[in-house]
Amino acid sequence: MDGSNHSRVSEFLLLGLSESPEHQRILFWMFLSMYLVTVVGNVLIILAISFDSHLHTPMYFFLANLSFTDLFFVTNTIPKMLVNLQSQNKAISYGGCLTQLYFLVSLVALDNLILAMMAYDRYVAICRPLHYTSAMSPRVCISLLTLCWALSVLYGLIHTLLMTNVTFCGSRKIHYIFCEMYVLLRLACSNTQINHTVLIATGSFIFLTPFGFMVMSYVWIVRAILRIPSASSKYKAFSTCASHLAVVSLFYGTLCMVYLKPLDTYSMKDSVATVMYAVVTPMMNPFIYSLRNKDIHGALGRFFIGKSFRG
């Protein structure tokens, strides 16, 4: 194959969800609104937890990091998408595409691992309350988060480096909102067997293992809650897990809609599912965690009152 056809010196065209100018205007304002809501919601969660000493606990420590990850996640994809929707030039450089892919893969993995750490926190709090202080000490929490980051960075690097060995030819058009793993593999004209094999092997470890851990954690949590004699105490114990369960269900539900299918059946209709996990999930997480959370409400109230007095 001619070297000039190799993707290292080319660019891709991110055509998005529609090529109709009228639809693109609608999509621009829709995604801009969703992006602003996501940014404001996650920034408020981070500020509330950072500035309120009442929330300096392991549960909120991981929640702040989840919000930071979601904030970074949408910033990696949506601004470029908004530019494309307003511009006639839909091009993204090969390097820019791989950069977007790296952060996308790494941050999805990080989201998943942080959710697993939050499940572990709830397990210790409910099933091992006498050991909670030592089991979830600041040092342990930082070590767990560091491990999550290290695994996510490694996971992203593995798949991005493997993608640099893939050759692309023919159409460079991506009918998608960002550079996504499955879409790029479908455009490849070289052998991608090693990519598929590594994707299955590492994906099973980085996603299925934490998911299995979360399932087992909640089995033990439910058993512990059922042994609580007081109905009000049962409700209080379960309410501390409800938000996390909702976020986990949303995260894995949308992820499965996209990735639990053969690569050769992947089509543009899956864009809706991708928008769900790439845009809607990060936007909904702050609302899920703060909607009925009196601690977050109080922290935000104290934060804004404090700001107004200082102002």
Side-chain angles (χ1 to χ4, degrees), residues 145-310:
L145 184 65
T146 302
L147 178 62
C148 291
W149 272 97
L151 290 173
S152 302
V153 168
L154 180 61
Y155 182 71
L157 279 175
I158 289 172
H159 291 293
T160 306
L161 290 174
L162 284 175
M163 192 63 74
T164 62
N165 295 320
V166 173
T167 302
F168 298 95
C169 54
S171 175
R172 307 292 172 84
K173 295 180 179 179
I174 298 176
H175 292 276
Y176 236 59
I177 59 177
F178 48 72
C179 291
E180 199 273 337
M181 179 77 71
Y182 270 20
V183 175
L184 290 177
L185 290 177
R186 287 202 69 182
L187 292 178
C189 56
S190 61
N191 191 331
T192 58
Q193 185 61 44
I194 187 171
N195 297 76
H196 295 157
T197 303
V198 175
L199 187 61
I200 292 171
T202 56
S204 298
F205 171 74
I206 209 79
F207 289 100
L208 295 184
T209 302
F211 180 71
F213 175 79
M214 283 186 267
V215 170
M216 289 305 300
S217 295
Y218 274 104
V219 167
W220 286 102
I221 286 171
V222 169
R223 290 180 62 180
I225 290 175
L226 291 177
R227 287 198 294 265
I228 299 175
S230 168
S232 60
S233 298
K234 284 182 180 179
Y235 175 80
K236 184 178 179 180
F238 180 76
S239 65
T240 65
C241 306
S243 298
H244 181 258
L245 276 172
V247 170
V248 169
S249 300
L250 184 61
F251 177 81
Y252 276 99
T254 54
L255 213 59
C256 289
M257 287 168 63
V258 178
Y259 295 111
L260 284 188
K261 57 176 61 185
L263 180 60
D264 56 4
T265 66
Y266 210 57
S267 64
M268 189 178 175
K269 68 180 182 180
D270 299 305
S271 297
V272 176
T274 305
V275 169
M276 285 292 292
Y277 96 80
V279 183
V280 176
T281 299
M283 181 182 70
M284 292 301 298
N285 285 354
F287 292 100
I288 293 173
Y289 271 106
S290 63
L291 193 62
R292 298 178 61 185
N293 192 312
K294 294 180 180 179
D295 293 334
I296 295 288
H297 294 169
L300 287 172
R302 288 188 289 273
F303 175 77
F304 285 114
I305 290 172
K307 284 290 183 182
S308 63
F309 277 121
R310 285 193 291 271

Side-chain angles (χ1 to χ4, degrees), residues 37-47 66-67 70-71 282-283 286:
V37 170
T38 304
V39 169
V40 171
N42 282 290
V43 166
L44 286 177
I45 291 287
I46 294 169
L47 289 175
L66 182 69
S67 291
D70 287 341
L71 188 60
M283 181 182 70

